[in-house]
Every structure is written in structure tokens, then in C-alpha cells.
Amino acid sequence: MKIFINLIIIICSLSLHTFAQKKEKKDKRRINIERSPEQELVYSDHDYLPYIKSVQFYPNAQEQTIPILALNSDDKLFLSFDDLRADNRTFYYTIEHCTFDWKSSNLSTLEYIEGVTEDRVFDYKSSMNTLQAYTHYQLSFPNEGSMIPKLSGNYLLKVYEDADKSRLILTRKFYVYRQEVGLDIKTLPSFDVSKRKQNQKLNIEVSLEQLNINNPYQDIKVVVKQNRRDDMQEILSKPMFVKEDQLIYNNNKTLDFDGGNEFHNLDIRSFRLLSGQIQNSVKDSLRKLVLIPDQDLSTETYSFSFDEDGKYFIRNSDFEDSEVEGDYANIEFTLKTPPPSNGEKLYIVGLFNNFDTTNENEMVYDIQGGVWKGVLKLKQGLYHYTYKCIDENGKVLVNKYNGHHFETGNTYDVFTYYRKPATRWDELVGYGTVKTAVNERH
């Protein structure tokens, strides 16, 4: 009996020792994961770390449409992203109510959130059979009892690590609206004769169907965006005319947008059967694809090509699951232009990088080749991109090398905001969208 008891004691000791060793190893692995650094909050669509890629944010079952919800509805938003650090991290998220011009409304979370005000991202998977390892995270919200918006208006979604709001991973804008006004949006050529062949003019009429506005020159703001771009938007603070229950915005000098040109298309759904845009493919530690050079279109006549106004779609023709079996590649872009002026900068932009200008998507001019070159790491899919120029004085020349055409298909989103007297927040009381003629035919 004593021998039996001693054996049990020895076995238990060994088991405890083995468990302690495994726990110590696991704790060491956790300790070795360096936490994401602290970041300064930016009230825009922004990825705070270079490891965060392929962020998708849109209403459920409406891929790549604008992230917008109807107040007091069952609408949900879907968010997904990849973390190229390829470990398992604890991410949390919350939302913040913002003013019409994307500043904090300075409201308590209890004033604009019903239910839980912070939640964890539970759904994540590791990549499979890819040269670039990553962890894919995704979530859908709001859910019952969790983070339901109580007010209409602009919101900022924040994702951060370890429940520490200073360790931001990404932020994304979204909208919650309560349709209380009617919108009539018309597109027509510019009233400026010199711009009639290149600009697209919008006139807007707002019908105050359910609102009693005391001072429309102060209480109402109208924001118009072209292709969801912050660098192609206009804010109207005053109507041109006020009629009974109607606000008219038809000033000849406002809402006169550069039509630009159709976006370039990039198809990298398959790394086995390469699309016609790819000139060369090299497989190393990560695949590199060299694209056929794009041409300077600034002096070319308009030529229609179907595009999605800067959107992108994660797709994989080689395997079934695009989210975790889609691989990444370094894509080399080339744009052939005359030599630029000193100090000029050029960037590859689209919704895939929020039309942002960073070191990552900046191009370099090759004097000998007479071309701009830039490399981006992109996941397999369909991309619609363009080029954004900033001159030596810091002025944005959106379409310098793209061309300017009235015929171009563009999407315009119109947001109507109302601030009630003696309140501190802006409500989104009207939303409408319109596509110019070419896109409407397709």
C-alpha cells in the first residue's frame, strides 16, 4: 500500500511539473508578443500599423458599399482585417459619436450607446498555405444588447489591443441615419464654360418633410463626397434659396467637381493564371508581380472602361476561402510621365488604402526610364486604383496624370445634418446617393 501511495505521489508530482513547464512556456510565448504601441487618435479611416492590411468595412451582405445604418433597424456592419504579425492578439472595439465635420461630439457613451459600450473581437483564424502568414479577424455589429447606436449621426469605430484605447489598431467612419428629409440630386455640366468638358456640377434640393427648422442658415449642413473621398468633398453651410419646406443648393460656384477619369483595374485573383495587366511574376519568400506600365492620360480623350469607383474586393480563384487562403504579393506599379517638377510627390491610391498619402504608397521617379515606380503589398483580389499628385507647395492635384472628363462615371454621396437648438451634436437626417450617367448604364 505504501509503495502504491508513493507511486501516486510521484506521478502527481511529475504531472504538476509537466503542467508547470507547459504553462511557463505558454507564458513565455505570451510575454514575447510585443504589444502594439500607443497611438494618437485620428478621426478618419486610418490603419495605425503597417502590419494591418485588407481592412473591409461595409453593411452585411452589401460588400464594399458605404458603411451606413438606419437608426432603430436590424442593420449590421461587417468588419474584417488581417494582421501580418500572424499571432493571436486580444482586440477590443467601441464607437464614438462625432460632429458633421468629424470631431468628437463630447457626449457620454450612455447618451449614444445602448447596451455594452465595449466588446471583444472573438472571431479570428490563421492563414493557410500562404507565403505571407497572417491572422484574419472579423466581427459583425451591433448585436442584441451590444453597442446599439441611440442617436443618428457620424460615428467612429475604434479597434485597439488589450482593452487599452491608446493602443489603436484601426479606426473607421460609419453613419447612422434617420431619414427625415427628402433629397433631389441632379448632375449637369459645369456653369463655368472653361470647365464644361471636364467638371460635373450637382444641384440639390432638400425637402423638410418632417422637420420644423427655425434657422436653416445655421441649423442645417450638407456634405457631398465624390467616390467616398475626403479629398474630394464639399461642405455647404447655407442654402442658396429657402422656400416653404424646401432648401435649394444651386449656387453656380459650389458642388462643381472635377470629373477625373475612370480608375485603373487590377486583377490578382489568381497567382496561377495571371491576368493581362501583369508583365512579370517572380516567386521568392513572397511573390512579386510587375504590372504593365500605366500611361499619362492628362492629354488623352475620354475612353470608357468599367470600374468600381476605387473599391476593392478580396477574391481568390486558386482556393476556396479567400479570407484565409488568399496570399499577399508585392505589386510593382509603373506610371510613364514627363519629368516632374522639383518637390512633386505621387501616390497610388484607392479605397484599399483610404486614398491616403504615406511613405508606403509613395512612388519614386526614375529619371533614366522616364517613369514613376512604387510597390504595394496587396492581398489577392480585384482592385480599382488611381494616382494622386501633391505639388511642391503641398497642393493636392488629384487628377494631374489621370485626365479630366465630364463623361466619367462617379458616385456622389449626399449627407444632410441637423443640429437642434441648445444641443451639442449633429443628427444625420437625410442620406442620398447618385451616380453619373456612364455608371448608370452599367
Side-chain angles (χ1 to χ4, degrees):
M1 179 63 71
K2 289 182 179 178
I3 295 173
F4 180 71
I5 293 172
N6 288 334
L7 282 173
I8 291 176
I9 293 172
I10 292 170
I11 291 171
C12 290
S13 299
L14 289 172
S15 299
L16 288 171
H17 180 68
T18 303
F19 174 77
Q21 283 185 323
K22 288 182 178 179
K23 186 176 187 300
E24 184 180 356
K25 287 181 180 179
K26 184 177 180 181
D27 290 340
K28 283 182 178 180
R29 285 198 298 269
R30 289 179 62 86
I31 292 171
N32 289 335
I33 295 178
E34 184 178 353
R35 298 177 72 195
S36 300
E38 295 183 356
Q39 305 283 348
E40 183 177 351
L41 175 62
V42 179
Y43 285 86
S44 67
D45 294 336
H46 191 65
D47 305 331
Y48 293 82
L49 300 171
Y51 319 107
I52 304 302
K53 299 287 186 184
S54 306
V55 182
Q56 301 180 85
F57 189 41
Y58 49 79
N60 276 7
Q62 301 178 52
E63 187 176 6
Q64 294 303 338
T65 58
I66 191 166
I68 189 166
L69 304 171
L71 188 66
N72 300 324
S73 71
D74 294 328
D75 297 346
K76 296 181 185 298
L77 295 175
F78 173 80
L79 172 75
S80 70
F81 61 92
D82 294 340
D83 188 339
L84 303 193
R85 291 173 292 190
D87 44 32
N88 296 331
R89 293 174 180 261
T90 306
F91 292 134
Y92 286 77
Y93 66 97
T94 190
I95 61 177
E96 181 178 355
H97 194 280
C98 299
T99 60
F100 78 93
D101 55 352
W102 294 103
K103 298 174 184 176
S104 176
S105 296
N106 293 317
L107 300 174
S108 163
T109 53
L110 297 178
E111 294 181 82
Y112 61 85
I113 295 179
E114 179 182 336
V116 176
T117 60
E118 179 183 62
D119 207 349
R120 183 177 168 184
V121 182
F122 288 101
D123 193 351
Y124 61 89
K125 295 182 289 186
S126 297
S127 59
M128 298 187 297
N129 303 317
T130 58
L131 294 177
Q132 172 66 64
Y134 59 87
T135 306
H136 178 76
Y137 296 84
Q138 65 184 44
L139 65 95
S140 180
F141 81 98
N143 299 304
E144 185 177 353
S146 175
M147 223 167 302
I148 302 171
K150 294 164 63 175
L151 302 175
S152 66
N154 291 347
Y155 282 83
L156 190 72
L157 170 69
K158 308 173 192 176
V159 180
Y160 42 90
E161 188 172 334
D162 292 340
D164 185 346
K165 291 184 174 66
S166 68
R167 300 184 185 278
L168 288 160
I169 302 299
L170 62 90
T171 48
R172 283 298 183 275
K173 297 177 179 179
F174 71 97
Y175 307 86
V176 177
Y177 75 101
R178 183 176 60 193
Q179 198 75 25
E180 296 189 275
V181 303
L183 289 172
D184 183 18
I185 310 165
K186 294 183 173 65
T187 59
L188 57 157
S190 172
F191 286 99
D192 186 336
V193 176
S194 64
K195 297 179 179 180
R196 288 184 71 84
K197 293 184 178 181
Q198 63 188 52
N199 277 26
Q200 297 169 342
K201 173 77 171 72
L202 270 67
N203 284 343
I204 299 172
E205 294 181 3
V206 179
S207 300
L208 305 176
E209 299 170 343
Q210 302 176 39
L211 291 180
N212 294 317
I213 308 295
N214 295 325
N215 187 352
Y217 294 99
Q218 179 177 322
D219 300 338
I220 295 288
K221 299 289 187 296
V222 174
V223 178
V224 181
K225 289 177 179 284
Q226 183 193 79
N227 300 328
R228 292 162 59 179
R229 299 182 63 163
D230 290 339
D231 57 358
M232 293 291 283
Q233 74 169 10
E234 192 168 341
I235 299 174
L236 302 179
S237 57
K238 296 179 181 180
M240 188 69 177
F241 301 104
V242 178
K243 295 183 178 180
E244 185 178 357
D245 297 330
Q246 193 174 54
L247 309 179
I248 299 174
Y249 299 84
N250 62 357
N251 190 320
N252 293 348
K253 296 182 180 179
T254 61
L255 302 182
D256 198 2
F257 290 90
D258 184 337
N261 209 339
E262 310 296 352
F263 285 76
H264 299 279
N265 297 323
L266 172 60
D267 184 349
I268 51 171
R269 288 174 293 181
S270 175
F271 289 163
R272 296 173 179 173
L273 300 173
L274 301 179
S275 67
Q277 300 121 311
I278 299 172
Q279 181 173 268
N280 191 24
S281 173
V282 179
K283 185 176 180 181
D284 199 350
S285 57
L286 193 67
R287 189 179 298 271
K288 180 179 180 180
L289 302 177
V290 180
L291 304 185
I292 294 174
D294 292 321
Q295 302 298 315
D296 178 0
L297 301 175
S298 57
T299 60
E300 299 294 320
T301 57
Y302 175 76
S303 176
F304 171 76
S305 63
F306 179 76
D307 73 345
E308 290 282 355
D309 295 338
K311 297 177 184 178
Y312 72 102
F313 304 86
I314 300 301
R315 296 286 188 274
N316 185 344
S317 300
D318 299 328
F319 299 99
E320 291 184 2
D321 192 339
S322 299
E323 302 297 350
V324 295
E325 292 183 289
D327 209 345
Y328 281 80
N330 287 320
I331 315 297
E332 182 178 293
F333 295 79
T334 304
L335 175 64
K336 186 175 180 61
T337 74
S341 57
N342 290 331
E344 181 179 298
K345 295 182 178 181
L346 194 68
Y347 300 86
I348 311 157
V349 296
L351 275 172
F352 64 89
N353 61 8
N354 311 310
F355 294 97
D356 208 355
T357 53
T358 66
N359 293 334
E360 185 178 353
N361 63 327
E362 184 177 356
M363 306 183 80
V364 176
Y365 193 77
D366 178 358
I367 298 176
Q368 289 186 335
V371 296
W372 292 91
K373 286 187 176 293
V375 176
L376 294 178
K377 183 181 287 187
L378 298 177
K379 194 175 185 178
Q380 285 180 272
L382 293 164
Y383 293 81
H384 301 270
Y385 68 94
T386 188
Y387 297 100
K388 178 176 176 178
C389 179
I390 298 179
D391 70 12
E392 60 272 21
N393 299 315
K395 182 180 179 181
V396 178
L397 306 174
V398 176
N399 294 309
K400 179 176 180 179
Y401 297 116
N402 303 321
H404 319 264
H405 306 285
F406 168 74
E407 300 92 337
T408 302
N410 289 305
T411 301
Y412 292 92
D413 293 300
V414 180
F415 307 89
T416 306
Y417 299 92
Y418 171 50
R419 177 172 292 196
K420 295 178 181 177
T423 62
R424 294 174 291 145
W425 65 90
D426 301 308
E427 298 181 68
L428 180 55
V429 295
Y431 168 72
T433 185
V434 64
K435 294 186 177 183
T436 49
V438 172
N439 269 349
E440 286 181 329
R441 295 201 302 267
H442 298 269

